[in-house]
Amino acid sequence: DAKTTQPTSMDCAEGRAANLPCNHSTISGNEYVYWYRQIHSQGPQYIIHGLKNNETNEMASLIITEDRKSSTLILPHATLRDTAVYYCIVPYSGGGADGLTFGKGTHLIIQP
Amino acid sequence: KAGVTQTPRYLIKTRGQQVTLSCSPISGHRSVSWYQQTPGQGLQFLFEYFSETQRNKGNFPGRFSGRQFSNSRSEMNVSTLELGDSALYLCASSLGGWREENIQYFGAGTRLSVL
């Protein structure tokens, strides 16, 4: 898997936009970037994914830089329920055998 | 439609015993992956099954095994349990496999405690 680097933790005020960065400088041209989150002791939840273009869905927006070496997940109006560990993942698409590598992720804490 | 279902949700076993965990994927999904999550090691990939065949395997000892049935339901077995096997075991299903543009949907997990 392409290696990803995320900050260990971040705080955000409730109602504000939460911007979570991820570096994936070794990403190759055909690899997608996926974001998942995990609320304590629950299974990870898919949020969004993208290849080159920015993406938006009902949960979040994903901004990918033009060189694709980094991306930012944006939760536009964070609520207390968004407190979770957020994982940025770049699965290997060339025949690797490691499944999804989750890393440590970013622990996002939404403050009231 | 129904999500990924894992049973049982909680399990307590003693060292040396074996355990079987079950996962029912989302209808129509052919790929099932298993993960182990511990506080020290985080989420680690165990193996993936696709159309009843193990397609990928993580770095776990042979005590960890699995299988997939023709209806895509999957079971994971751990033999000769050790204290270090205490973990949350997660199952994820997807239409194809993680290599393609496929979203993995996770179950709530089975919490295994080995005493």
Side-chain angles (χ1 to χ4, degrees):
Chain A
D1 289 357
K3 180 177 173 59
T4 62
T5 305
Q6 300 178 253
T8 303
S9 65
M10 293 181 64
D11 288 349
C12 179
E14 188 177 19
R16 303 297 294 269
N19 296 278
L20 291 85
C22 178
N23 287 321
H24 31 79
S25 58
T26 60
I27 194 171
S28 63
N30 60 350
E31 289 183 298
Y32 286 83
V33 180
Y34 289 78
W35 283 82
Y36 288 79
R37 73 180 182 183
Q38 187 174 26
I39 297 169
H40 183 62
S41 293
Q42 297 181 20
Q45 177 190 24
Y46 164 79
I47 301 173
I48 198 167
H49 76 286
L51 183 63
K52 296 179 182 178
N53 301 319
N54 298 336
E55 302 287 346
T56 295
N57 63 20
E58 65 278 5
M59 288 183 68
S61 295
L62 176 61
I63 308 297
I64 302 174
T65 58
E66 193 170 338
D67 62 7
R68 303 209 327 116
K69 292 185 177 182
S70 66
S71 61
T72 300
L73 177 74
I74 301 172
L75 307 178
H77 304 288
T79 71
L80 298 178
R81 288 176 294 181
D82 292 322
T83 292
V85 178
Y86 287 76
Y87 298 97
C88 168
I89 299 165
V90 181
Y92 179 55
S93 58
D98 293 332
L100 290 181
T101 300
F102 276 78
K104 300 293 185 184
T106 296
H107 188 193
L108 175 66
I109 300 171
I110 306 301
Q111 304 282 2
Chain B
K1 54 185 175 183
V4 178
T5 303
Q6 291 189 247
T7 56
R9 290 295 312 279
Y10 303 93
L11 208 48
I12 299 175
K13 292 286 187 179
T14 57
R15 280 183 300 173
Q17 287 188 309
Q18 75 166 17
V19 67
T20 298
L21 312 181
S22 180
C23 173
S24 293
I26 292 171
S27 177
H29 285 193
R30 298 169 64 188
S31 170
V32 174
S33 298
W34 288 89
Y35 296 82
Q36 180 196 66
Q37 185 171 31
T38 60
Q41 299 298 319
L43 262 161
Q44 293 186 287
F45 171 73
L46 280 156
F47 30 66
E48 180 212 3
Y49 285 86
F50 182 81
S51 294
E52 302 180 64
T53 300
Q54 187 181 86
R55 190 160 66 171
N56 294 290
K57 189 175 189 305
N59 188 25
F60 278 81
R63 299 186 298 107
F64 292 82
S65 63
R67 59 178 176 169
Q68 186 180 33
F69 302 95
S70 58
N71 61 358
S72 292
R73 189 178 71 84
S74 177
E75 288 182 346
M76 192 193 101
N77 185 274
V78 188
S79 62
T80 320
L81 283 166
E82 301 176 358
L83 296 178
D85 297 332
S86 294
L88 179 67
Y89 290 88
L90 292 157
C91 163
S93 77
S94 63
L95 281 171
W98 54 266
R99 296 179 188 178
E100 299 82 25
E101 185 188 357
N102 267 298
I103 300 165
Q104 291 206 4
Y105 295 91
F106 286 80
T110 294
R111 172 80 58 188
L112 172 65
S113 297
V114 182
L115 306 178

